């Protein structure tokens, strides 16, 4: 797939990247190279191959989902500059 300079300029604008006009041809060529590589990857047959999270086999150990350090409201709020009724008090920022 080939990317023209107009498309490269639009992508740069959307990404909020300032690109000078004389650099647009090189940027368009880089985008075309990237899309060409992606097209090559799409040609690889991956049927029957399991997805992986790492190149080394790992087992993710699960833990029990339980609260281990709750009921510390007073300890948490004691360092707050302003706490009221068991909550952090913050200045009003929206009128």
């Amino acid at each position: 797939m080939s990317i023209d300079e107009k498309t490269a300029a639009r992508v740069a604008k959307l990404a909020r990247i300032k690109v000078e006009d004389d650099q647009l041809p090189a940027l368009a060529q880089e985008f075309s190279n990237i899309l060409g590589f992606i097209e090559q990857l799409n040609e690889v047959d991956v049927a029957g191959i399991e997805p992986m999270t790492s190149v080394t086999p790992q087992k993710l150990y699960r833990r029990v989902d339980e609260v281990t350090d709750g009921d510390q409201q007073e300890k948490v709020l004691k360092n707050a500059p302003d706490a009221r009724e068991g909550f952090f008090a913050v200045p009003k920022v929206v009128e």
Side-chain angles (χ1 to χ4, degrees):
M1 179 175 209
S2 179
I3 300 293
D4 59 353
E5 291 180 28
K6 182 180 175 184
T7 305
R10 185 164 192 273
V11 171
K13 181 180 177 185
L14 291 173
R16 298 184 188 269
I17 299 171
K18 183 178 180 181
V19 178
E20 301 298 331
D21 290 337
D22 61 335
Q23 295 176 343
L24 281 175
L27 182 64
Q29 182 61 43
E30 284 294 320
F31 285 156
S32 296
N33 291 344
I34 291 169
L35 290 177
F37 182 69
I38 292 172
E39 287 176 359
Q40 283 181 347
L41 291 176
N42 284 334
E43 294 174 3
V44 176
D45 182 22
V46 293
I49 298 175
E50 293 290 324
M52 4 185 304
T53 57
S54 175
V55 294
T56 58
Q58 297 177 346
K59 180 172 168 92
L60 299 177
Y61 297 101
R62 303 199 182 268
R63 61 177 173 81
V64 179
D65 188 16
E66 60 185 20
V67 177
T68 57
D69 61 349
D71 297 326
Q72 297 186 16
Q73 183 179 22
E74 289 179 16
K75 287 181 181 179
V76 171
L77 293 175
K78 78 176 184 178
N79 291 324
D82 188 11
R84 295 183 208 146
E85 299 176 17
F87 297 97
F88 291 102
V90 295
K92 183 177 179 182
V93 293
V94 179
E95 296 286 331

